[in-house]
Amino acid sequence: MNANTHSRRAATAVTEAVTAVTKPRTSTPDKARAPIENEPQAPLVAISDIRRWMVEADRQLEMAFDAAGSGEYIEKLLDHICHSVMVAPLHTIQREDLTQEDAGRLYESLFVPMACIHAAVKLAEGTILQHPLEGAFELLDASLEALDPVNDAVKALPLQEGQTDEEKSALFQASRIEDNSYCMAGEVIAIIRARLHAVDSELLYGALRVVEYAHNELGAGVYARDLEMCEDASAPFASAIAVLEVTLREHDDVALHGALRLLELAKTSLDDAIVGVN
């Protein structure tokens, strides 16, 4: 099967996946019935349960990634899932001071990895990868349902109250950085990794290392909700842009030009967010 066929299958699968994970949830007949008096109730889901499910989902995804054939499309997709789109949600759920607002952002952020996993399941049908991928999807689906704002586990979390206007502004900007710059840098990493085989260049490998360093620096700041740490990532982003520009002088690649533009937008968005609280 050629690369174009793989791409068409992946595009179709992603479209189906987005529809599948974003459609309104409906109660099953069993869930919808009126409770029976004195009927034993299922134990409430706790945040620790959700954390455990997400960590186990990540373990199964990594297991599938390790088992995927090198150079195959599904390996690249799993690389993107494990090392880009799952990173921020896993950071968030590990917070000891998780708030209702954090849970709300986590709820929204899970739709993207679930859509990608659904696409990977489609590509893995009939292979040894299908079972761990389906297991990971089911665990994240259970986590998503438990993170619904109407559920007791979320309602029991503290609100972000008692903060000064400055602290609220800093928290808002940190969330903005996570949603924009951090995610865009993750997409750049995925694009570069996808082009490594076609553009066999030491320069491109170097660009990847610098972008990954900048991404990790920013991730540490976002996780700590520390704007000074986030600001420290601006210089590595500038270095990553410079290295990628040098790479493009040697290898004129359309996808890498897109990655460069995305990386520039990530740095601009980061700098604008920092200026917004100064």
Side-chain angles (χ1 to χ4, degrees):
M1 186 176 292
N2 60 37
N4 289 334
T5 302
H6 276 306
S7 297
R8 287 195 298 271
R9 287 182 60 192
T12 301
V14 169
T15 300
E16 293 175 354
V18 171
T19 302
V21 300
T22 58
K23 66 183 181 180
R25 296 175 176 272
T26 56
S27 297
T28 62
D30 181 62
K31 291 181 180 179
R33 64 177 174 79
I36 301 172
E37 188 176 357
N38 298 324
E39 179 183 18
Q41 298 297 309
L44 295 177
V45 172
I47 295 299
S48 59
D49 295 317
I50 301 171
R51 183 180 296 118
R52 176 169 48 82
W53 295 339
M54 289 181 62
V55 169
E56 175 59 20
D58 183 60
R59 188 190 71 81
Q60 295 198 32
L61 289 169
E62 288 285 358
M63 183 170 61
F65 172 66
D66 291 340
S70 178
E72 293 183 3
Y73 180 82
I74 193 168
E75 184 211 23
K76 295 175 182 178
L77 179 57
L78 290 172
D79 188 12
H80 177 60
I81 294 170
C82 293
H83 307 129
S84 181
V85 296
M86 278 295 294
V87 174
L90 284 169
H91 276 170
T92 300
I93 194 61
Q94 295 293 349
R95 289 181 188 143
E96 295 296 333
D97 57 348
L98 196 72
T99 66
Q100 291 188 32
E101 288 78 7
D102 289 328
R105 286 191 294 271
L106 178 58
Y107 178 85
E108 295 297 331
S109 72
L110 282 179
F111 285 108
V112 173
M114 288 179 66
C116 293
I117 296 167
H118 191 90
V121 170
K122 291 283 187 180
L123 292 175
E125 285 180 349
T127 72
I128 61 171
L129 304 181
Q130 183 176 354
H131 179 69
L133 290 175
E134 288 177 338
F137 185 89
E138 289 171 2
L139 286 165
L140 291 183
D141 190 47
S143 300
L144 185 70
E145 186 170 350
L147 284 165
D148 191 298
V150 304
N151 288 337
D152 290 337
V154 176
K155 288 180 178 180
L157 293 172
L159 293 168
Q160 290 173 181
E161 296 178 344
Q163 296 172 316
T164 66
D165 290 342
E166 183 178 350
E167 289 171 332
K168 289 178 180 178
S169 177
L171 185 62
F172 172 77
Q173 295 298 354
S175 299
R176 176 185 168 191
I177 289 169
E178 181 176 7
D179 293 340
N180 294 298
S181 300
Y182 185 79
C183 289
M184 283 190 281
E187 292 295 330
V188 171
I189 291 170
I191 293 170
I192 294 176
R193 284 176 176 162
R195 298 301 297 157
L196 281 175
H197 180 70
V199 184
D200 188 13
S201 164
E202 289 298 323
L203 279 172
L204 187 56
Y205 278 95
L208 176 61
R209 297 285 86 81
V210 180
V211 176
E212 287 178 329
Y213 175 77
H215 189 240
N216 289 337
E217 286 288 293
L218 185 58
V222 166
Y223 177 65
R225 290 293 190 255
D226 187 322
L227 286 184
E228 289 187 4
M229 291 176 64
C230 290
E231 187 174 9
D232 289 342
S234 183
F237 269 106
S239 298
I241 289 169
V243 176
L244 194 51
E245 284 175 337
V246 172
T247 304
L248 283 167
R249 291 176 197 156
E250 298 288 331
H251 304 278
D252 188 17
D253 184 271
V254 174
L256 294 180
H257 276 289
L260 175 60
R261 178 57 180 153
L262 198 58
L263 192 57
E264 290 171 337
L265 288 172
K267 184 181 184 305
T268 299
S269 179
L270 170 61
D271 293 342
D272 288 347
I274 298 300
V275 170
V277 294
N278 290 334

